[in-house]
Amino acid sequence: MKKRKLFILWAVLCASVLCGCTNSKFIIDKKADNYSNVQTYSEKDHFFFWGMGRKHEHDFSELCPNGKIVKMTTNNNWIDETLVALTMGIYYTRTFTVYCAADPVTDYKF
């Protein structure tokens, strides 16, 4: 019984060490880093069974009604990747972040 607990602990440790993190960055406006008044909106999406049968559709124009989207990022941290490894892909999450410029015409730093 003690060997089994040790094996499970070792397997969880190996899964968490082998899992990394992934990041994707989508730059929509090349001047995105120069805006001074940038607001962010983050949300975590949950997927089951490798994402089959479920689509996540977001209307990003509703997130930035008074401005425009300048950048988007998606990422998974090592905890998310460990859950994917332990559940063999049955459950996973992804966090997306949207960066909105309040007034991109007058808010640009020279």
Side-chain angles (χ1 to χ4, degrees):
M1 187 64 155
K2 188 173 182 175
K3 286 184 180 184
R4 184 177 182 145
K5 287 182 183 180
L6 185 61
F7 176 76
I8 292 173
L9 180 64
W10 181 252
V12 169
L13 181 66
C14 287
S16 64
V17 167
L18 293 175
C19 295
C21 57
T22 58
N23 297 317
S24 299
K25 182 192 241 183
F26 306 98
I27 298 175
I28 298 166
D29 187 353
K30 291 183 181 181
K31 303 174 204 169
D33 294 330
N34 295 326
Y35 291 113
S36 61
N37 190 12
V38 176
Q39 299 171 343
T40 61
Y41 175 78
S42 290
E43 187 175 314
K44 188 172 279 237
D45 282 337
H46 303 278
F47 296 93
F48 297 97
F49 299 108
W50 310 276
M52 297 166 77
R54 181 168 178 175
K55 291 183 180 179
H56 288 271
E57 295 181 10
H58 301 279
D59 188 3
F60 294 118
S61 63
E62 290 180 0
L63 298 178
C64 303
N66 296 327
K68 74 174 195 176
I69 299 171
V70 293
K71 184 170 55 171
M72 291 175 49
T73 60
T74 62
N75 63 3
N76 295 350
N77 58 20
W78 68 272
I79 296 172
D80 296 335
E81 294 293 333
T82 302
L83 286 173
V84 171
L86 291 176
T87 62
M88 293 183 285
I90 294 173
Y91 172 77
Y92 67 96
T93 61
R94 178 177 298 138
T95 303
F96 71 88
T97 306
V98 177
Y99 298 85
C100 304
D103 189 5
V105 176
T106 60
D107 199 27
Y108 181 71
K109 289 185 209 173
F110 293 100

